[in-house]
Amino acid sequence: MPAIATESTCTCFRLRRAARQASQLYDRELAAIGLSLNEYSILRRAQKGTRTLGELADAAGMDRSTLTRNLKPLLAAGLIRDARGDDARQRLIQVTAKGENAIAKAIPLWQRAQKQMAALYGAAQMQRLNDDLDALHVALRPLREAA
């Protein structure tokens, strides 16, 4: 794979640039059913059963305030619902039947985007990148826990 010249040696810049381009690929596929990659990702994380806002934020890799903003269109569309837990301060998130239907329609579109990524980048390189990103996530954990 040919190297490209970059104006920055900043790792974060490079990660964000690649993430924006990858997001655009997935967003183009998911647009067919009116979802963004971000919305699809939240729905998939919420699909794991009723979750507290904090649990869902951790699973999505977002802070609670960012997740709260991102939940608004999903709530408005009826794809998720929220309720108060036993403790009135606890907010519970659950995917609705309409949300489950949207996920079922989105999965083949997401799979098509995954295949495009593998075709463009290479399946072995993509697996290595996923492994490296998982390792980076673990390495950065102390920063998340300190916040």
Side-chain angles (χ1 to χ4, degrees), residues 14-24 37:
R14 290 171 179 210
L15 281 168
R16 291 178 63 126
R17 178 183 59 191
R20 281 189 296 272
Q21 291 170 322
S23 292
Q24 289 169 2
L37 174 61

Side-chain angles (χ1 to χ4, degrees), residues 50 56-57 60 94 102 113 120 127-128 132 141:
T50 301
L56 186 55
Q94 185 176 39
L120 291 166
Q127 183 59 55
R128 187 177 68 237
D132 288 345
R141 181 174 291 144

Side-chain angles (χ1 to χ4, degrees), residues 6-27:
T6 187
E7 300 167 6
S8 177
T9 59
C10 177
T11 301
C12 191
F13 167 78
R14 290 171 179 210
L15 281 168
R16 291 178 63 126
R17 178 183 59 191
R20 281 189 296 272
Q21 291 170 322
S23 292
Q24 289 169 2
L25 186 154
Y26 286 84
D27 281 338

Side-chain angles (χ1 to χ4, degrees), residues 107-128:
I107 288 172
L109 301 172
W110 176 86
Q111 289 170 333
R112 192 162 58 201
Q114 276 288 98
K115 287 178 184 173
Q116 287 178 317
M117 284 288 289
L120 291 166
Y121 189 54
Q125 292 92 322
M126 200 162 99
Q127 183 59 55
R128 187 177 68 237

Side-chain angles (χ1 to χ4, degrees), residues 47-69:
Q47 191 180 29
K48 307 286 185 205
T50 301
R51 296 182 114 166
T52 67
L53 187 67
E55 291 168 343
L56 186 55
D58 287 343
M62 297 179 181
D63 60 60
R64 290 169 57 109
S65 61
T66 300
L67 177 60
T68 297
R69 277 191 310 276

Side-chain angles (χ1 to χ4, degrees), residues 129-141:
L129 176 62
N130 288 338
D131 292 344
D132 288 345
L133 290 171
D134 288 345
L136 178 60
H137 177 74
V138 170
L140 295 173
R141 181 174 291 144

